[in-house]
Amino acid sequence: MAGIAARSTDGPDIIDVQLALGQQCLDRGGAERAQAVEWFRIAARSGDPRAVNMLGRCHEHGWGVPADPVLAAAHYRRAAELGDAWALFNLADLHCRGLGVPADDAEAYRLYAAAARRGNVKALNMLGLFHEAGRAVAEDGAGARQLFQAAAEGGDCWGRFNHARLLLQDGRTEEALVWFARALETGFPDFYRGMAAALADQPDPRLRALARRARDLAEGRS
């Protein structure tokens, strides 16, 4: 996932400015992504964990550099050692997929838990999925529900979706509708596509309407 979080200071320091410039270059895309990598490298020289994490993101996704998951994992590991919650999350994702590191559910769970302890709400959702499926831990439906609800209340779109999904499963449709709608407030294109597919064939027309709304958002129609 993304990983630039603002520091709590009276004003931006030089590292914050370098990170912001790098993010702007990433957002513009194309050839500017190579310049983004340079800004993150400059910021990383100070040992800033956010910058090191963003270098990992660039190497994982091939933003401005050739995709190299092994190098991405090395950057995430360094940033995680420096205390960055997003780096812990991103390294956990690599272990989930066996990308650049060995596939290892137990290590992924440990890293997600460490990220969650540092306030990463997306990690709470991932822990919920592990508890629901019995991956790395014993299957625990009640624990999964608590984790999804915590992620939902923290603002994570997938946490909101999964919390709503289980409410719907319990027959609590009115509550589920509220959380599905709230998931659309904090989503992104891939999430919108997933939600649209999940709700498209629901018998309740209100859920199908949410699926259409998600599809519109995925296609950039407001």
Side-chain angles (χ1 to χ4, degrees):
M1 299 313 271
I4 296 180
R7 282 179 170 172
S8 178
T9 61
D10 292 333
D13 63 15
I14 187 62
I15 304 301
D16 294 320
V17 172
Q18 290 163 348
L19 288 170
L21 289 169
Q23 187 63 56
Q24 288 174 8
C25 291
L26 271 188
D27 293 343
R28 285 193 289 266
E32 295 231 26
R33 286 185 167 176
Q35 185 59 51
V37 176
E38 289 308 308
W39 281 119
F40 296 141
R41 281 178 178 152
I42 291 167
R45 289 173 192 154
S46 69
D48 187 281
R50 299 168 299 167
V52 179
N53 175 64
M54 289 308 297
L55 283 176
R57 293 278 289 162
C58 291
H59 284 285
E60 179 183 353
H61 297 284
W63 296 338
V65 289
D68 185 340
V70 173
L71 187 53
H75 284 303
Y76 292 150
R77 195 171 293 109
R78 181 185 169 211
E81 289 167 355
L82 293 169
D84 188 77
W86 273 114
L88 289 162
F89 181 95
N90 293 330
L91 186 57
D93 269 1
L94 294 186
H95 278 291
C96 264
R97 292 178 285 156
L99 185 64
V101 294
D104 187 337
D105 279 355
E107 180 64 2
Y109 184 92
R110 184 188 73 81
L111 291 164
Y112 284 132
R117 286 193 294 272
R118 290 184 175 273
N120 188 300
V121 294
K122 288 189 176 295
L124 291 171
N125 176 69
M126 293 304 300
L127 291 171
L129 292 173
F130 272 57
H131 281 267
E132 185 177 34
R135 290 179 62 182
V137 291
E139 186 175 331
D140 178 8
R145 288 170 182 271
Q146 291 176 348
L147 288 160
F148 290 146
Q149 183 172 353
E153 292 172 350
D156 177 54
C157 58
W158 279 113
R160 290 175 170 181
F161 175 87
N162 286 318
H163 181 46
R165 171 174 60 83
L166 295 185
L167 288 170
L168 188 64
Q169 180 179 300
D170 292 342
R172 297 161 65 181
T173 304
E174 299 303 322
E175 293 172 76
L177 285 165
V178 171
W179 282 106
F180 279 132
R182 292 189 67 184
L184 294 177
E185 298 171 1
T186 54
F188 51 92
D190 283 346
F191 169 77
Y192 297 138
R193 283 187 280 271
M195 181 167 163
L199 300 183
D201 296 326
Q202 286 290 328
D204 191 313
R206 296 171 296 176
L207 291 169
R208 295 198 301 274
L210 283 169
R212 290 192 295 273
R213 174 64 177 151
R215 190 176 304 110
D216 286 344
L217 288 168
E219 295 173 1
R221 297 195 297 267
S222 58

